[in-house]
Amino acid sequence: QLQLQESGPGLVKPSETLSLTCTVSGGSLTSSSYYWDWIRQPPGKGLEWIASINYNGNRYYNPSLKSRVTISVDTSENQFSLKLKSVTAADTAVYYCARELGSTSNYFDYWGQGTLVTVSS
Amino acid sequence: QSALTQPASVSGSPGQSITISCTGSSSDVGGYNSVSWYQQHPGKAPQLMIYDVSNRPSGVSNRFSGSKSGNTASLTISGLQAEDEADYYCNSYTTSSTWVFGGGTKVTVL
């Protein structure tokens, strides 16, 4: 059974960089059928897609966040990561990593449990 | 990219059917069959309920069904049960090779 687990600091200061890692177990990141995504949800609000990457390093970003976001993949560790720079309180959210089936069908079939990141001094 | 438009809340009595709409544009919902729906209970991660407009993953009740007409997708829950009370989000692929979610709909079972 595939499992995704987010990890990283739960508290980040304003103007600093938020860094999160998603560890994939029970499956490989190197399958060509999948992309690997980050999605966030501010407290009490809806879901927002942030970025996606595949094992080859093909990347896509939410246009509203593109200038501040970097997504990367480490196939040797079966992990992918998110960096969001110059954070503000508006970036406080539960951050989810998810697997995206990216072939003839497209959807998010596996999700991590989510990790709350608070931006505060 | 703008979020897809969903009603903030929908309610129904046990056994009834409810429908949640999700309106986008020709650049997302209307242009692709990559429309999916997710159920989210409080404090939990979203769970896939419908993919490719109308397909159910293994293990999802056949009380859940999806459809699309033009730029609007819909999720119907028939035979409403207490366990269906949750937030529901639609999602669509876009012409920019990105993804966009709806604002979410809170389903209340009366």
Side-chain angles (χ1 to χ4, degrees):
Chain A
Q1 176 79 349
L2 189 77
Q3 291 187 319
L4 292 81
Q5 178 68 58
E6 305 89 350
S7 59
L11 182 64
V12 180
K13 290 182 168 54
S15 80
E16 295 189 343
T17 296
L18 178 160
S19 296
L20 294 174
T21 295
C22 182
T23 301
V24 179
S25 59
S28 174
L29 269 178
T30 58
S31 171
S32 60
S33 299
Y34 303 111
Y35 275 75
W36 305 90
D37 295 62
W38 288 99
I39 296 160
R40 71 180 182 179
Q41 185 172 34
K45 297 188 178 180
L47 299 168
E48 180 180 34
W49 176 78
I50 301 171
S52 65
I53 191 168
N54 73 352
Y55 78 104
N56 267 338
N58 294 321
R59 300 170 172 85
Y60 298 94
Y61 293 110
N62 184 323
S64 67
L65 297 169
K66 187 174 183 177
S67 63
R68 299 195 292 130
V69 173
T70 301
I71 190 171
S72 59
V73 63
D74 184 343
T75 54
S76 66
E77 296 290 337
N78 227 32
Q79 295 175 334
F80 62 104
S81 298
L82 175 75
K83 291 188 185 298
L84 178 65
K85 64 182 182 182
S86 305
V87 297
T88 69
D91 296 309
T92 294
V94 174
Y95 285 76
Y96 295 100
C97 57
R99 187 179 80 168
E100 173 197 335
L101 182 62
S103 57
T104 54
S105 291
N106 301 85
Y107 49 86
F108 305 106
D109 58 351
Y110 284 92
W111 296 64
Q113 64 185 25
T115 187
L116 174 63
V117 179
T118 302
V119 178
S120 174
S121 55
Chain B
Q1 57 193 23
S2 300
L4 306 176
T5 300
Q6 297 181 231
S9 62
V10 173
S11 62
S13 299
Q16 287 187 330
S17 293
I18 62 169
T19 297
I20 303 168
S21 61
C22 170
T23 301
S25 69
S26 58
S27 297
D28 38 64
V29 174
Y32 297 92
N33 284 329
S34 296
V35 176
S36 50
W37 289 88
Y38 300 85
Q39 177 191 66
Q40 186 180 36
H41 286 110
K44 301 295 186 182
Q47 177 185 349
L48 177 69
M49 303 302 284
I50 294 287
Y51 67 94
D52 292 352
V53 175
S54 60
N55 293 295
R56 274 188 314 276
S58 174
V60 172
S61 171
N62 58 9
R63 299 185 297 103
F64 291 85
S65 61
S67 63
K68 189 182 83 167
S69 177
N71 296 336
T72 298
S74 299
L75 173 72
T76 298
I77 309 175
S78 58
L80 198 62
Q81 298 180 1
E83 67 204 50
D84 301 331
E85 188 161 291
D87 294 325
Y88 291 82
Y89 294 90
C90 61
N91 174 255
S92 175
Y93 193 64
T94 82
T95 52
S96 304
S97 300
T98 61
W99 293 93
V100 62
F101 282 94
T105 298
K106 181 176 181 60
V107 169
T108 301
V109 180
L110 301 172

